[in-house]
Amino acid sequence: MAASAVAVTSSVLSTADAATAARPMVKKSLMWGMVKEELSVMDKFKLLKDLGYDGVELDSPDKLDMKEVLAARDKTGLLIPGTVNSMHWKLPLSDPDPKKREECVKSIEKALWDTKEYGGSTVLVVPGVVNATVTYGEAYERSQAEIRKLLPIAEKTGVKIAIENVWNQFLLSPLEAAKFVDDFKHPMVGWYMDIGNVLRYSWPVSWIEALNKRILKLHLKEYSLKKQNDLGLWKGFDVELMEGDCNWAEVNKALQKVGYSGWASAEVAGGDRKRLLTIREKMDLVFNA
């Protein structure tokens, strides 16, 4: 090949690489429970890979066979970017009962080790729940204390604890969320940013700007303020990606501004392969908004 042709090809490739790098969302994932077809673990992995996904997030602890999962991962090339702790709602880290908090800590510890085996980098954790029997201050103090117990395990596994913003009546402000992470003064704690969850009381861009480099991964879901107002809070989620009020173009700009580049996982109503393909296609629109 002539030198000029090589130079042109190199220029085209570098331009393409730069365009890819500039996009904040670069890898598509979804939640394991969204796959509703009755298939083996291997065939579910094959299905998701064929549909154009890069990865899938699992729950932990769970009932899946580790060897079976690892074989499916290695055979298909579908990655496991992280896990979601499966006990943090049933046994919150803010619970008044120390034994329940201890059980949740043990479950997160197992999730950290499982995630290391899977080759993932984060365990999603809901830090606590504020309710009639747990005050805001109690939730803050207890969850901080319990998560600190897990920091040595996070160090050993190399897997980060990713706090998610959810409807738990806790950490309702992005500035407070940033402080919650910073209070640990530890590099193994960060944030799992759920874009759709904040629309109930805030705007995604505000959270992204405040959390900045603390953001480790993203959950994608949509939310409609009109449906919320007309039909009720939870009905706000009953809308497809790109058809609500998340303003994905502004979300991408904000993510780009803080230097985020990585995984985005859909967390929406799943279904069969046709539905999962639709979700992946909607994710393409979000990624390129």
Side-chain angles (χ1 to χ4, degrees), residues 24 32 52 107 113 124 138 248:
W32 181 252
S107 76
W113 286 110
L124 185 156
E138 288 170 338
W248 295 104

Side-chain angles (χ1 to χ4, degrees), residues 24-98:
M25 305 184 205
V26 294
K27 293 182 179 179
K28 299 180 188 70
S29 181
L30 77 170
M31 317 309 291
W32 181 252
M34 290 168 57
V35 184
K36 301 301 183 182
E37 294 208 3
E38 293 296 323
L39 299 169
S40 66
V41 169
M42 179 67 77
D43 285 339
K44 285 185 178 181
F45 269 68
K46 288 179 179 178
L47 169 63
L48 294 176
K49 188 67 175 179
D50 289 345
L51 291 178
Y53 289 96
D54 303 296
V56 61
E57 288 198 328
L58 308 180
D59 291 331
S60 180
D62 62 18
K63 297 180 180 179
L64 296 176
D65 181 85
M66 175 69 74
K67 291 183 179 179
E68 194 175 359
V69 171
L70 294 179
R73 179 201 66 184
D74 295 342
K75 177 74 173 179
T76 63
L78 188 78
L79 302 177
I80 304 169
T83 65
V84 177
N85 178 255
S86 58
M87 304 299 289
H88 52 208
W89 283 111
K90 181 181 179 181
L91 302 166
L93 291 173
S94 57
D95 196 282
D97 186 345

Side-chain angles (χ1 to χ4, degrees), residues 105-154:
V105 167
K106 288 180 178 178
S107 76
I108 298 172
E109 181 175 338
K110 185 178 189 312
L112 288 165
W113 286 110
D114 283 351
T115 306
K116 175 180 169 59
E117 289 295 311
Y118 289 141
S121 59
T122 56
V123 173
L124 185 156
V125 173
V126 170
V129 178
V130 174
N131 53 37
T133 60
V134 177
T135 69
Y136 213 99
E138 288 170 338
Y140 203 102
E141 181 180 354
R142 289 170 187 165
S143 59
Q144 284 265 330
E146 301 301 335
I147 291 171
R148 287 184 193 282
K149 297 174 183 177
L150 291 158
L151 296 181
I153 307 301

